[in-house]
Amino acid sequence: MSTPLDSDDAALETALSRAGTGGKQFRPRLVHSIHDLLGGRAGEAVTQVAEAVELLHTAFLVHDDVIDGDDVRRGRPSASGAFRSAATRAGASPSGADSYALTGAVLTGDLALADALRAVATAPVPPSTVRRLLDLFDHALRVSAAGELADVRLSLGLEEPTMEEVLTMAEHKTAVYSFQLPLQCGAVLADASPEVVAGLGEIGRRVGVAFQLIDDLVGMFGTPEQTGKAAVSDLREGKRTPLIVHARTTPAWTTVRRHLGDPRLTEQDAERVRAALRAGGSHAFVSDLAAEHLAAAARHTVALGLPAGLVERVGDVSGMLREGAA
């Protein structure tokens, strides 16, 4: 016999399922690729851990949309947007819909996080391997959470960060869980040496920073179809991205500062900022910096004496990132 609570459970399960679909799934592919390249034989555990990495990503996306106030993700309603729409259709007040959207999305993200850790904890591998994997997930969680908090703190505009600070924030917020974690999980599942696992962490750091740099370019210069959300979001939120930090050292800053953090920013205003960022050299600077990180990742791979296929994999990711920034 069903009860009203069953519908709440179903709503959360639906939100979790929808939140986990539509992405590129490159993090699970990295787990599989590294495991296979290193000659691993972990069997079904690889798929289970790869799914755990993607569930962690889902949790972060859902919570990130709550933090940023984004009701759209991948061109469709985010978890918070879907819960808001459901409450509005049911006749809730605007404040009531806000509360329901916040609650539903936070709980959806929590469920994704719990599912991710359970998948790792129950992976069919020796207990010592499970502990190594859980250590990697714990590190990724803590560092990524600190990176997210730093992102919001820097957006307050109370201080102007240095380039080093925003690059460290990008590393913590994105590189650790999106690249270091899947690369190192694949290596641990393949029973790789601590030196190889650590080396893959450095490769992941480099590629992950490049990923975030290019994502910032797409967020500023891309279309809503590319980003899956409004192209002016970062400007309205006052995000201190490397683009913005570099612009502070150029004549473009006069234009950028006028519109940064303006909740009423129009598309015409945003176009003025984009033109200033191009003219001041900030677009070229960030693009070149991303390319430098990708090249360093490839060099490090060779220096570690890892399989040539890994170099190709880094190249595939590089190509995907460049395509996204086109």
Side-chain angles (χ1 to χ4, degrees), residues 24 33 37 58 67 70 73 174 178 315:
K24 294 183 174 68
S33 295
L37 284 168
T58 297
I67 292 167
D70 284 331
R73 166 69 65 176
T174 301
S178 286

Side-chain angles (χ1 to χ4, degrees), residues 216-224 226-227 229-236 243-244 247 252 255-256 259 265-284:
D216 290 339
L217 287 173
V218 174
M220 180 65 69
F221 297 95
T223 65
Q226 285 177 299
T227 62
K229 61 182 181 179
V232 296
S233 293
D234 285 354
L235 279 174
R236 283 177 178 162
L243 270 170
I244 299 302
T255 300
V256 174
H259 299 292
L265 183 83
T266 66
E267 178 54 39
Q268 291 73 24
D269 294 332
E271 194 53 45
R272 294 188 191 96
V273 173
R274 294 185 192 108
L277 291 171
R278 288 188 184 278
S282 296
H283 181 285

Side-chain angles (χ1 to χ4, degrees), residues 50-194:
E51 289 174 351
V53 171
E54 190 64 14
L55 279 166
L56 180 65
H57 172 56
T58 297
F60 283 154
L61 286 187
V62 173
H63 286 161
D64 192 57
D65 286 337
V66 173
I67 292 167
D68 292 343
D70 284 331
D71 278 359
V72 177
R73 166 69 65 176
R74 295 167 178 162
R76 63 189 183 190
S78 63
S80 52
F83 279 109
R84 188 187 312 282
S85 295
T88 301
R89 288 195 303 270
S93 66
S95 62
D98 286 345
S99 178
Y100 190 64
L102 173 65
T103 302
V106 168
L107 293 174
T108 299
D110 289 348
L111 289 175
L113 179 57
D115 284 351
L117 295 177
R118 185 179 189 281
V120 177
T122 60
V125 291
S128 59
T129 302
V130 169
R131 284 194 295 271
R132 292 178 71 189
L133 292 169
L134 286 174
D135 284 345
L136 291 175
F137 269 74
D138 181 69
H139 175 72
L141 268 166
R142 292 177 182 277
V143 173
S144 299
E148 183 68 50
L149 185 61
D151 189 20
V152 175
R153 174 175 57 80
L154 294 177
S155 297
L156 297 176
L158 302 178
E159 56 182 306
E160 292 298 342
T162 65
M163 184 62 70
E164 181 181 4
E165 287 173 326
V166 294
L167 289 175
T168 297
M169 182 267 291
E171 176 186 335
H172 289 177
K173 183 181 175 182
T174 301
V176 171
Y177 91 88
S178 286
F179 290 91
Q180 283 187 337
L181 179 64
L183 289 174
Q184 292 184 309
C185 282
V188 167
L189 288 167
D191 200 26
S193 70

